[in-house]
């Protein structure tokens, strides 16, 4: 988007599509007051809700509602903002948007110029982008707005609210301030070598670097937790037909989502449901039963199995179900071993496999213990349960959270994204190199200064202090129109 496009006034419906009790049309730009006058027939007081008609070109009411005028810079975007809050019918809202566009293009009675030149429809996320560009919020706070809207759990919503309030930005800015101080000392030493300042000793550079690295690691731990709250985990249920995958999905979800019958091959395609455990969202996918390729001639079942392996390849975790009631059958045990081998080849360490021994209620306790201790289940990666009775489900939920690295704490967490985690990791890598240069006897101050600069830049990308236009376009294009 060009700079002139970012300067032009914009208008959009700011409420969700469809019918509702209230609908909002929002206008943002410089010099919005004359448009407010044309639409309402009166001069609006700043930040005061005024009830009345919204007028068409002939002075007839399109709707009646509240009009609010927020002169810049004391507004959401930092520009003049007008909000028309009327009834939430889509036709009425589109009429109001169209009226805003025609009124803006009409000549002003006093000057003869357009009332609000260049008014156009807003692009997705453009109101929030303007708030960022006008220094009302930083980039991490802008992303938190979208995360708050998209939050799928209460914990995620609370964490997004903390990020929107600046909790995450405060941590990042504190790190950046420490880096700025270090960079100032290093570059001053480079600029005035004749002063013979023993930088490493007198400025305690190593101590400051160690402190910054420790603080950065703490922020990274919190960011990973926040990213987990936002992104969640994709968990795939895999195993032979009739191992109890659909029953386990229903048990985890607490609802009859998948059809369960004794007939092998009942599930032919993927069935998914998003659940939450301690506020962490998990997308659980039930897949078609897996067999050796030579065991089926059913084309539909072959397609279902192919989709199962595709889902497995994209999973964060795989729950490999074993039917304890059939483990003593040689053919069944051989097929399980073959599937386990193929799982290892398909995942190549990218995902974690948890071996779930189902139908524990149907066999003796001694048999359960024997299978838990034997291959293919490595120590710590196996759990026995009964999807029918619910026994062992809590242990599985706990295992999933532990595998994800969840620290069982939501208070004080802020929302983060994978790009934030990556930027923090990059900053930590450059700090580690800076520590190595600082430890050298010859000083290597020029290399130390460069690593500090790169670490500083990486942190700046989180809050938007250093952001390319293509990054901004990628972020804000994912927002809804009107926000």
């Amino acid at each position: 988007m060009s700079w002139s496009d970012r300067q032009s006034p914009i208008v959009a419906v700011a409420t969700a599509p469809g019918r509702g009790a209230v609908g909002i049309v929002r206008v943002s730009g410089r010099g919005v007051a004359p448009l407010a006058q044309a639409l309402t027939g009166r001069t609006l007081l700043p930040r005061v809700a005024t009830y009345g008609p919204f007028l068409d070109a002939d002075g007839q009411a399109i709707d009646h509602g509240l009009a609010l005028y927020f002169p810049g810079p004391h507004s959401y975007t930092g520009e003049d903002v007008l909000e028309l809050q009327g009834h939430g019918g889509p036709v009425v809202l589109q009429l109001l948007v169209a009226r805003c566009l025609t009124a803006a293009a009409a000549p002003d009675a006093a000057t003869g110029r357009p009332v609000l030149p260049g008014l156009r429809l807003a692009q997705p996320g453009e109101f929030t982008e303007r708030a960022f560009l006008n220094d009302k919020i930083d980039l991490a706070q802008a992303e938190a707005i979208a995360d708050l809207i998209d939050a799928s759990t209460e914990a995620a919503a609370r964490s997004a609210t903390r990020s929107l309030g600046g909790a995450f930005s405060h941590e990042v800015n504190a790190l950046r301030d420490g880096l700025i101080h270090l960079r100032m000392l290093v570059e001053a030493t480079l600029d005035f070598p004749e002063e013979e300042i023993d930088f490493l000793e007198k400025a305690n550079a190593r101590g400051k670097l160690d402190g910054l690295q420790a603080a950065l690691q703490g922020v990274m731990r919190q960011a990973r937790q926040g990213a987990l709250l936002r992104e969640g985990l994709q968990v795939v249920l895999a195993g032979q037909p009739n191992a109890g995958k659909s029953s386990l999905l229903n048990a985890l979800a607490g609802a009859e989502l998948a059809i369960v019958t004794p007939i092998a091959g009942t599930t032919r395609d993927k069935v998914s449901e998003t659940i939450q455990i301690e506020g962490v969202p998990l997308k659980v996918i039930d897949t078609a039963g897996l067999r050796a390729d030579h065991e089926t001639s059913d084309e539909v079942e072959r397609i279902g199995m192919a989709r199962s392996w595709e889902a497995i390849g994209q999973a964060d975790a795989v729950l490999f179900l074993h039917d304890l009631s059939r483990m003593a059958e040689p053919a069944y045990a051989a097929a399980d071993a073959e599937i386990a081998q193929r799982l290892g080849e398909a995942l190549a360490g990218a995902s974690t496999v948890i071996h779930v021994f189902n139908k524990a209620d149907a066999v003796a306790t001694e048999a359960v213990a024997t299978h838990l201790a034997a291959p293919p289940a490595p120590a710590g990666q196996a759990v026995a349960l009964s999807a029918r009775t619910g026994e062992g489900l809590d242990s599985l939920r706990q295992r999933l959270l532990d595998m994800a690295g969840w620290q069982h704490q939501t208070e004080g967490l802020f929302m983060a994204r994978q790009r934030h985690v990556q930027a923090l990791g990059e900053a930590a890598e450059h700090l580690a190199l800076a520590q190595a240069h600082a430890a050298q006897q010859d000083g290597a101050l020029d290399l130390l200064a460069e690593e500090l600069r790169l670490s500083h830049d990486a942190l700046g990308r989180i809050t938007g202090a250093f952001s390319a236009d293509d990054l901004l376009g990628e972020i804000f294009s994912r927002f809804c129109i009107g926000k």
Side-chain angles (χ1 to χ4, degrees), residues 226-297:
L228 184 58
L229 279 179
R230 180 182 184 273
E231 306 290 344
L233 288 179
Q234 182 159 299
V235 179
V236 170
L237 309 180
Q240 295 189 60
N242 270 3
K245 299 183 298 298
S246 297
S247 296
L248 180 56
L249 172 64
N250 293 341
L252 288 171
E256 296 296 321
L257 302 174
I259 299 172
V260 177
T261 75
I263 303 171
T266 298
T267 301
R268 296 298 188 98
D269 204 349
K270 296 182 293 185
V271 179
S272 64
E273 176 70 6
T274 298
I275 65 172
Q276 60 169 301
I277 304 175
E278 292 189 19
V280 178
L282 274 71
K283 183 179 181 181
V284 184
I285 301 174
D286 179 21
T287 61
L290 301 176
R291 305 178 190 263
D293 289 340
H294 63 273
E295 290 184 354
T296 180
S297 59

Side-chain angles (χ1 to χ4, degrees), residues 25 56 70 103 127 134 172 247 306 316 394 400 407 438 446 478:
V25 171
D56 63 14
F70 303 92
F127 289 96
N134 292 324
V172 172
S247 296
D316 297 309
D394 287 342
L400 283 169
Q407 296 175 358
D446 52 344
R478 298 177 183 271

Side-chain angles (χ1 to χ4, degrees), residues 161-197:
T161 299
R162 280 189 282 271
S163 285
L164 178 56
F168 185 27
S169 302
H170 175 77
E171 298 285 350
V172 172
N173 289 334
L175 291 171
R176 289 184 61 221
D177 289 344
L179 275 170
I180 289 171
H181 180 65
L182 264 178
R183 290 185 65 191
M184 176 188 68
L185 293 173
V186 173
E187 291 174 16
T189 304
L190 287 171
D191 289 340
F192 303 101
E194 66 278 3
E195 296 294 329
E196 297 183 354
I197 300 174

Side-chain angles (χ1 to χ4, degrees), residues 36 67 77 104 136 142 152 190 197 207 259 266 275 302 332 340 352 391 431 452 457-458:
T77 64
K136 303 297 291 185
S152 58
L190 287 171
I197 300 174
I259 299 172
T266 298
I275 65 172
R302 284 182 180 274
Y332 183 86
T352 299
E391 178 187 356
L431 270 187
L452 291 176
D457 288 352

